[in-house]
Coordinates of all heavy atoms in Angstrom, one line a residue:
Chain Y
A1403 N -8.0 5.2 92.1 CA -8.9 4.3 92.9 C -10.0 5.1 93.6 O -11.1 4.6 93.7 CB -8.0 3.6 94.0
A1404 N -9.7 6.3 94.1 CA -10.7 7.0 94.9 C -11.5 7.8 93.8 O -12.4 8.7 94.3 CB -10.1 7.9 95.8
A1405 N -11.1 7.7 92.5 CA -12.0 8.6 91.5 C -12.0 10.2 91.9 O -13.1 10.7 91.9 CB -13.3 8.1 91.3
Q1406 N -10.8 10.6 92.3 CA -10.7 11.9 92.9 C -10.9 12.9 91.7 O -10.4 12.6 90.6 CB -9.4 12.2 93.6 CG -9.2 11.6 94.9 CD -8.0 11.9 95.6 OE1 -6.9 12.1 95.0 NE2 -8.0 11.8 96.9
G1407 N -11.5 14.1 92.0 CA -11.6 15.2 91.0 C -10.2 16.0 91.0 O -9.4 15.6 91.6
P1408 N -10.1 16.8 90.0 CA -8.9 17.5 89.8 C -8.2 18.2 91.1 O -7.1 18.1 91.4 CB -9.1 18.5 88.7 CG -10.3 18.1 88.1 CD -11.1 17.2 89.1
R1409 N -9.1 18.9 91.8 CA -8.6 19.6 92.9 C -8.0 18.6 94.0 O -7.0 18.8 94.5 CB -9.8 20.4 93.7 CG -9.3 21.5 94.5 CD -10.5 22.3 95.1 NE -10.0 23.5 95.5 CZ -10.2 24.6 94.7 NH1 -10.8 24.6 93.5 NH2 -9.8 25.8 95.2
A1410 N -8.8 17.6 94.3 CA -8.3 16.6 95.4 C -7.1 15.9 94.8 O -6.3 15.6 95.5 CB -9.5 15.5 95.6
R1411 N -7.1 15.6 93.5 CA -5.9 14.9 92.9 C -4.7 15.7 93.0 O -3.7 15.2 93.3 CB -6.3 14.6 91.5 CG -5.2 13.9 90.7 CD -5.7 13.5 89.2 NE -6.8 12.6 89.4 CZ -6.7 11.4 89.1 NH1 -5.5 10.8 88.5 NH2 -7.7 10.4 89.1
L1412 N -4.9 17.0 92.8 CA -3.7 17.9 92.9 C -3.1 17.8 94.5 O -1.9 17.6 94.6 CB -4.1 19.4 92.6 CG -3.0 20.4 92.9 CD1 -1.9 20.2 92.0 CD2 -3.6 21.8 92.6
S1413 N -4.1 17.8 95.3 CA -3.6 17.8 96.7 C -2.9 16.4 97.0 O -1.8 16.4 97.7 CB -4.8 17.9 97.6 OG -4.5 17.8 98.9
T1414 N -3.6 15.3 96.4 CA -3.0 14.0 96.6 C -1.5 13.9 96.0 O -0.6 13.5 96.8 CB -3.8 12.9 96.1 OG1 -5.1 12.9 96.7 CG2 -3.3 11.6 96.3
L1415 N -1.4 14.3 94.9 CA -0.1 14.2 94.2 C 1.1 15.1 94.9 O 2.1 14.6 95.2 CB -0.2 14.6 92.7 CG -1.1 13.8 91.8 CD1 -1.0 14.3 90.3 CD2 -0.8 12.4 92.0
A1416 N 0.6 16.3 95.1 CA 1.6 17.2 95.8 C 2.0 16.8 97.2 O 3.1 16.9 97.6 CB 1.1 18.7 95.9
G1417 N 1.0 16.3 97.9 CA 1.1 15.7 99.1 C 2.2 14.5 99.2 O 3.1 14.5 100.0
A1418 N 2.1 13.7 98.1 CA 3.0 12.6 98.0 C 4.4 13.1 97.7 O 5.4 12.6 98.3 CB 2.6 11.6 96.9
Y1419 N 4.5 14.2 96.8 CA 5.7 14.7 96.6 C 6.4 15.3 97.9 O 7.6 15.0 98.2 CB 5.5 15.7 95.5 CG 6.8 16.5 95.1 CD1 7.6 16.0 94.0 CD2 7.3 17.6 95.7 CE1 8.7 16.7 93.6 CE2 8.4 18.3 95.2 CZ 9.1 17.7 94.3 OH 10.2 18.5 93.7
R1420 N 5.7 16.0 98.6 CA 6.1 16.6 99.9 C 6.5 15.5 100.8 O 7.6 15.6 101.5 CB 5.2 17.5 100.5 CG 5.5 18.0 101.8 CD 4.6 19.0 102.4 NE 5.0 19.2 103.8 CZ 4.4 18.6 104.8 NH1 3.4 18.0 104.8 NH2 4.9 18.8 106.1
A1421 N 5.7 14.5 100.9 CA 5.9 13.5 102.0 C 7.3 12.7 101.6 O 8.1 12.4 102.5 CB 4.9 12.5 101.9
W1422 N 7.6 12.6 100.3 CA 8.7 11.9 100.0 C 10.0 12.8 100.4 O 11.0 12.4 101.0 CB 8.8 11.5 98.4 CG 10.1 11.0 98.1 CD1 10.4 9.5 98.2 CD2 11.2 11.6 97.5 NE1 11.7 9.4 97.8 CE2 12.2 10.6 97.3 CE3 11.5 12.8 97.2 CZ2 13.5 10.8 96.8 CZ3 12.9 13.2 96.8 CH2 13.7 12.2 96.6
A1423 N 9.8 14.1 99.9 CA 10.9 15.0 100.3 C 11.2 15.2 101.8 O 12.4 15.2 102.1 CB 10.5 16.4 99.6
V1424 N 10.1 15.3 102.6 CA 10.3 15.5 104.0 C 10.9 14.2 104.6 O 11.7 14.2 105.4 CB 9.1 15.9 104.6 CG1 9.1 15.9 106.2 CG2 8.5 17.1 104.2
A1425 N 10.5 13.0 104.1 CA 11.0 11.8 104.6 C 12.5 11.6 104.3 O 13.3 11.1 105.1 CB 10.3 10.6 104.1
E1426 N 13.0 12.2 103.2 CA 14.4 11.9 102.8 C 14.9 13.3 102.3 O 15.2 13.5 101.2 CB 14.5 10.9 101.8 CG 13.8 9.7 101.9 CD 14.5 8.5 101.4 OE1 15.7 8.4 101.7 OE2 13.8 7.7 100.7
P1427 N 15.0 14.3 103.2 CA 15.4 15.6 102.9 C 16.7 15.7 102.1 O 16.9 16.5 101.1 CB 15.5 16.3 104.2 CG 15.4 15.5 105.2 CD 14.8 14.2 104.7
H1428 N 17.6 14.8 102.5 CA 19.0 15.0 101.9 C 18.9 14.5 100.5 O 19.5 15.1 99.6 CB 20.0 14.1 102.7 CG 19.4 12.7 103.0 ND1 18.5 12.6 104.0 CD2 19.7 11.5 102.5 CE1 18.2 11.4 104.0 NE2 18.8 10.7 103.2
R1429 N 18.1 13.5 100.1 CA 17.9 13.2 98.7 C 17.1 14.2 98.0 O 17.5 14.4 96.8 CB 17.2 11.7 98.6 CG 18.1 10.8 99.4 CD 17.3 9.4 99.2 NE 17.4 8.9 97.9 CZ 16.7 7.8 97.4 NH1 15.8 7.3 98.2 NH2 16.7 7.4 96.2
Y1430 N 16.2 14.8 98.6 CA 15.5 15.9 97.9 C 16.4 17.0 97.5 O 16.4 17.5 96.4 CB 14.4 16.3 98.8 CG 13.6 17.5 98.1 CD1 12.7 17.4 97.1 CD2 13.9 18.9 98.6 CE1 12.1 18.4 96.5 CE2 13.2 19.9 97.9 CZ 12.3 19.7 96.8 OH 11.8 20.7 96.2
L1431 N 17.2 17.4 98.5 CA 18.2 18.5 98.3 C 19.1 18.2 97.2 O 19.6 19.0 96.5 CB 18.9 18.9 99.6 CG 18.0 19.5 100.7 CD1 18.8 19.7 101.9 CD2 17.4 20.8 100.2
L1432 N 19.4 16.8 97.1 CA 20.3 16.5 96.0 C 19.7 16.9 94.6 O 20.5 17.1 93.7 CB 20.5 14.9 96.2 CG 21.8 14.3 95.8 CD1 23.0 15.0 96.5 CD2 21.7 12.7 96.1
I1433 N 18.5 16.6 94.5 CA 17.9 16.8 93.2 C 17.4 18.2 92.9 O 17.2 18.8 91.8 CB 16.8 15.8 92.8 CG1 15.6 16.1 93.7 CG2 17.3 14.4 92.9 CD1 14.4 15.2 93.3
Q1434 N 17.2 19.0 94.0 CA 16.8 20.4 93.8 C 17.9 21.4 94.2 O 17.6 22.6 94.4 CB 15.5 20.6 94.6 CG 14.3 20.0 94.0 CD 13.8 20.6 92.6 OE1 14.8 20.9 91.8 NE2 12.6 20.7 92.3
G1435 N 19.1 20.7 94.5 CA 20.1 21.6 95.0 C 20.8 22.5 93.9 O 20.3 22.4 92.8
A1436 N 21.7 23.2 94.4 CA 22.4 24.1 93.5 C 23.6 23.5 92.8 O 24.5 23.0 93.5 CB 22.9 25.3 94.3
P1437 N 23.6 23.4 91.6 CA 24.6 22.8 90.8 C 25.7 23.9 90.5 O 25.6 25.0 91.0 CB 24.0 22.4 89.4 CG 22.8 23.3 89.3 CD 22.4 23.8 90.7
V1438 N 26.8 23.5 89.9 CA 27.8 24.5 89.5 C 27.3 25.5 88.5 O 26.4 25.2 87.9 CB 29.1 23.8 89.1 CG1 29.7 23.0 90.2 CG2 28.8 22.8 87.9
P1439 N 28.0 26.6 88.6 CA 27.5 27.7 87.6 C 27.2 27.3 86.2 O 26.2 27.5 85.6 CB 28.7 28.6 87.6 CG 29.2 28.5 89.1 CD 29.1 27.1 89.4
G1440 N 28.3 26.8 85.6 CA 28.1 26.4 84.2 C 27.3 25.1 83.8 O 27.4 24.6 82.7
Y1441 N 26.5 24.8 84.9 CA 25.8 23.5 84.9 C 24.6 23.5 83.8 O 23.8 24.4 83.8 CB 25.3 23.1 86.1 CG 24.6 21.9 86.3 CD1 25.2 20.6 86.3 CD2 23.2 21.8 86.3 CE1 24.6 19.4 86.4 CE2 22.4 20.6 86.4 CZ 23.2 19.4 86.4 OH 22.5 18.3 86.5
V1442 N 24.6 22.5 83.0 CA 23.4 22.2 82.2 C 22.9 20.8 82.5 O 23.8 19.9 82.4 CB 23.7 22.4 80.7 CG1 23.6 23.8 80.3 CG2 24.8 21.8 80.3
A1443 N 21.7 20.6 82.9 CA 21.2 19.3 83.2 C 21.3 18.3 82.0 O 20.9 18.7 80.9 CB 19.7 19.3 83.6
P1444 N 21.9 17.2 82.1 CA 21.9 16.1 81.0 C 20.5 15.8 80.7 O 19.6 15.8 81.5 CB 22.7 15.1 81.7 CG 22.8 15.3 83.2 CD 22.5 16.8 83.4
D1445 N 20.4 15.4 79.4 CA 19.1 15.1 78.9 C 18.4 14.1 79.8 O 17.2 14.1 80.1 CB 19.2 14.5 77.5 CG 19.5 15.6 76.5 OD1 19.6 16.6 77.0 OD2 19.6 15.3 75.3
D1446 N 19.2 13.2 80.2 CA 18.8 12.1 81.1 C 18.2 12.6 82.3 O 17.0 12.2 82.6 CB 20.2 11.4 81.3 CG 20.1 10.6 82.6 OD1 19.2 9.8 82.8 OD2 21.1 10.6 83.3
T1447 N 18.8 13.6 82.9 CA 18.1 14.2 84.2 C 16.8 14.9 84.0 O 15.8 14.8 84.6 CB 19.2 15.1 84.8 OG1 20.4 14.5 85.2 CG2 18.6 15.8 86.0
R1448 N 17.0 15.7 82.8 CA 15.7 16.3 82.3 C 14.6 15.6 82.2 O 13.5 15.8 82.7 CB 16.1 17.2 81.0 CG 15.2 18.4 80.7 CD 15.6 19.1 79.5 NE 16.1 18.4 78.4 CZ 15.6 17.5 77.7 NH1 14.4 17.0 78.1 NH2 16.1 16.9 76.7
D1449 N 14.7 14.3 81.6 CA 13.6 13.4 81.4 C 13.1 12.9 82.6 O 11.9 12.7 82.9 CB 14.1 12.3 80.4 CG 14.4 12.8 79.1 OD1 14.0 13.9 78.8 OD2 15.0 12.1 78.3
R1450 N 14.0 12.6 83.6 CA 13.6 12.2 84.9 C 12.8 13.1 85.6 O 11.8 12.8 86.2 CB 14.8 11.7 85.7 CG 15.3 10.3 85.3 CD 16.6 10.0 86.0 NE 17.4 9.1 85.1 CZ 17.4 7.8 85.1 NH1 16.7 7.2 86.0 NH2 18.1 7.1 84.3
A1451 N 13.2 14.4 85.6 CA 12.4 15.5 86.2 C 11.0 15.6 85.6 O 10.1 15.8 86.3 CB 13.2 16.8 86.1
R1452 N 11.0 15.4 84.3 CA 9.7 15.4 83.6 C 8.7 14.4 84.1 O 7.6 14.3 84.1 CB 9.8 15.5 82.1 CG 10.3 16.9 81.7 CD 10.5 17.0 80.2 NE 11.0 18.4 80.0 CZ 11.5 18.7 78.8 NH1 11.6 18.0 77.8 NH2 11.9 20.1 78.6
A1453 N 9.5 13.1 84.4 CA 8.7 12.0 84.8 C 8.0 12.3 86.1 O 6.9 11.8 86.4 CB 9.5 10.8 84.9
V1454 N 8.7 13.1 87.0 CA 8.1 13.4 88.3 C 6.9 14.3 88.1 O 5.9 14.2 88.8 CB 9.2 14.1 89.1 CG1 8.5 14.5 90.5 CG2 10.4 13.2 89.4
L1455 N 7.0 15.3 87.2 CA 6.0 16.3 87.1 C 4.9 16.0 86.2 O 3.7 16.5 86.2 CB 6.6 17.7 86.6 CG 7.5 18.3 87.6 CD1 8.2 19.5 87.0 CD2 6.8 18.6 88.8
G1456 N 5.2 14.8 85.3 CA 4.2 14.5 84.3 C 2.8 14.3 84.8 O 1.7 14.8 84.3
P1457 N 2.6 13.5 85.9 CA 1.2 13.2 86.5 C 0.4 14.5 86.8 O -0.8 14.5 86.9 CB 1.6 12.4 87.7 CG 2.9 11.7 87.5 CD 3.7 12.8 86.6
F1458 N 1.2 15.6 86.9 CA 0.4 16.8 87.3 C -0.2 17.5 86.0 O -1.2 18.2 86.1 CB 1.3 17.9 87.8 CG 1.8 17.6 89.3 CD1 2.9 17.0 89.6 CD2 0.9 18.0 90.3 CE1 3.3 16.7 90.8 CE2 1.3 17.7 91.6 CZ 2.6 17.0 91.9
L1459 N 0.2 17.1 84.8 CA -0.1 17.6 83.6 C -1.8 17.4 83.4 O -2.4 18.5 83.2 CB 0.6 17.1 82.4 CG 2.1 17.6 82.3 CD1 2.8 16.8 81.2 CD2 2.0 19.1 81.8
P1460 N -2.2 16.3 83.5 CA -3.7 16.1 83.4 C -4.5 16.8 84.2 O -5.7 17.1 83.8 CB -3.8 14.5 83.3 CG -2.7 14.0 83.9 CD -1.5 14.9 83.7
V1461 N -4.1 16.9 85.4 CA -4.8 17.7 86.4 C -5.3 19.1 85.9 O -6.2 19.6 86.0 CB -4.0 17.8 87.8 CG1 -4.8 18.7 88.7 CG2 -3.8 16.4 88.3
F1462 N -4.1 19.8 85.4 CA -4.3 21.2 84.9 C -5.1 21.2 83.5 O -5.5 22.2 83.2 CB -3.1 21.9 85.0 CG -2.6 22.2 86.4 CD1 -1.5 21.3 86.9 CD2 -3.2 23.0 87.1 CE1 -1.1 21.4 88.2 CE2 -2.8 23.2 88.5 CZ -1.7 22.4 89.0
A1463 N -4.7 20.1 82.8 CA -5.4 20.1 81.5 C -7.0 20.1 81.7 O -7.6 20.6 80.7 CB -5.0 18.9 80.6
A1464 N -7.4 19.7 82.8 CA -8.8 19.8 83.0 C -9.3 21.1 83.4 O -10.6 21.2 83.6 CB -9.2 18.6 84.0
G1465 N -8.4 22.0 83.7 CA -8.8 23.3 84.3 C -8.8 24.4 83.2 O -8.4 24.2 82.0
E1466 N -9.3 25.6 83.6 CA -9.3 26.6 82.8 C -8.4 27.8 83.4 O -8.9 28.4 84.4 CB -10.8 27.2 82.7 CG -11.1 27.8 81.4 CD -10.7 27.1 80.2 OE1 -11.2 25.8 80.1 OE2 -9.9 27.5 79.4
P1467 N -7.3 28.0 82.8 CA -6.3 29.0 83.4 C -7.0 30.4 83.5 O -7.5 30.9 82.5 CB -5.2 28.9 82.6 CG -5.6 28.4 81.3 CD -6.7 27.5 81.7
G1468 N -6.9 31.0 84.7 CA -7.4 32.3 84.9 C -6.8 33.4 84.0 O -5.6 33.1 83.5
A1469 N -7.4 34.5 84.0 CA -6.7 35.6 83.3 C -5.5 36.2 83.7 O -4.6 36.6 83.0 CB -7.7 36.8 83.2
G1470 N -5.2 35.9 85.0 CA -4.0 36.5 85.6 C -2.8 35.9 85.2 O -1.7 36.4 85.3
I1471 N -2.9 34.7 84.6 CA -1.7 33.9 84.1 C -1.6 33.7 82.6 O -0.8 32.9 82.2 CB -1.5 32.5 84.9 CG1 -2.6 31.6 84.4 CG2 -1.5 32.7 86.3 CD1 -2.4 30.2 84.9
S1472 N -2.4 34.6 82.0 CA -2.4 34.5 80.6 C -1.0 34.6 80.0 O -0.7 34.0 78.9 CB -3.3 35.5 80.0 OG -2.9 36.8 80.4
G1473 N -0.2 35.5 80.5 CA 1.2 35.7 80.0 C 2.0 34.4 80.0 O 2.7 34.0 79.0
L1474 N 1.9 33.7 81.1 CA 2.5 32.4 81.3 C 2.0 31.4 80.3 O 2.8 30.6 79.6 CB 2.3 31.8 82.7 CG 3.1 30.6 83.0 CD1 4.6 30.6 82.8 CD2 2.9 30.1 84.4
V1475 N 0.7 31.3 80.1 CA 0.1 30.4 79.2 C 0.5 30.6 77.8 O 0.8 29.7 77.0 CB -1.5 30.5 79.3 CG1 -2.1 29.6 78.2 CG2 -2.0 30.0 80.7
A1476 N 0.7 32.0 77.5 CA 1.1 32.3 76.1 C 2.5 31.7 75.8 O 2.8 31.1 74.8 CB 1.0 33.7 75.9
E1477 N 3.4 31.8 76.8 CA 4.8 31.3 76.7 C 4.7 29.8 76.6 O 5.5 29.2 75.8 CB 5.6 31.8 77.9 CG 6.1 33.2 77.8 CD 6.9 33.6 78.9 OE1 7.3 32.7 79.8 OE2 7.4 34.6 78.9
M1478 N 3.9 29.2 77.4 CA 3.8 27.8 77.3 C 3.4 27.2 75.9 O 3.7 26.3 75.4 CB 2.8 27.3 78.4 CG 3.3 27.5 79.9 SD 4.8 26.5 80.2 CE 5.9 27.8 80.2
S1479 N 2.4 28.0 75.4 CA 1.9 27.6 74.1 C 2.9 27.7 73.1 O 3.2 26.8 72.3 CB 0.7 28.6 73.7 OG 0.1 28.2 72.6
A1480 N 3.8 28.7 73.2 CA 4.9 28.8 72.2 C 5.9 27.7 72.4 O 6.4 27.1 71.4 CB 5.6 30.2 72.3
W1481 N 6.1 27.4 73.6 CA 7.1 26.3 73.9 C 6.6 25.1 73.5 O 7.3 24.3 72.9 CB 7.2 26.3 75.4 CG 8.3 25.4 76.0 CD1 9.5 25.0 75.3 CD2 8.4 24.6 77.2 NE1 10.3 24.1 76.1 CE2 9.6 23.9 77.2 CE3 7.5 24.6 78.3 CZ2 10.0 23.0 78.4 CZ3 7.9 23.8 79.4 CH2 9.0 23.0 79.5
H1482 N 5.3 24.7 73.7 CA 4.8 23.4 73.2 C 4.8 23.4 71.8 O 5.1 22.2 71.1 CB 3.3 23.5 73.6 CG 2.6 22.1 73.2 ND1 1.9 22.1 72.1 CD2 2.6 21.0 73.8 CE1 1.4 20.8 72.0 NE2 1.8 20.1 73.0
A1483 N 4.7 24.5 71.1 CA 4.7 24.4 69.6 C 6.1 24.3 69.0 O 6.4 23.7 68.0 CB 4.1 25.7 69.0
G1484 N 7.1 24.8 69.8 CA 8.4 24.8 69.4 C 9.4 23.7 69.7 O 10.5 23.5 69.3
D1485 N 9.0 22.9 70.7 CA 9.8 21.9 71.4 C 9.2 20.5 71.2 O 8.2 20.3 71.9 CB 10.2 22.3 72.7 CG 11.3 21.4 73.4 OD1 11.3 20.1 73.0 OD2 12.1 21.8 74.3
D1486 N 9.7 19.7 70.4 CA 9.1 18.4 70.2 C 9.2 17.6 71.4 O 8.1 16.8 71.6 CB 9.8 17.7 69.0 CG 9.4 18.3 67.6 OD1 8.4 19.1 67.6 OD2 10.1 17.9 66.6

Side-chain angles (χ1 to χ4, degrees):
Chain Y
Q1406 290 183 328
R1409 200 179 201 100
R1411 180 174 294 253
L1412 172 60
S1413 177
T1414 299
L1415 298 189
Y1419 182 90
R1420 170 172 173 262
W1422 181 83
V1424 171
E1426 316 211 46
H1428 45 287
R1429 296 182 73 195
Y1430 177 78
L1431 293 174
L1432 213 51
I1433 67 180
Q1434 288 295 36
V1438 291
Y1441 180 80
V1442 281
D1445 288 6
D1446 161 44
T1447 300
R1448 198 171 39 56
D1449 291 345
R1450 279 168 212 268
R1452 285 181 184 165
V1454 177
L1455 292 174
F1458 288 94
L1459 288 169
V1461 173
F1462 294 102
E1466 209 54 55
I1471 64 167
S1472 57
L1474 182 63
V1475 173
E1477 282 185 358
M1478 292 295 106
S1479 189
W1481 186 30
H1482 181 262
D1485 187 327
D1486 287 349

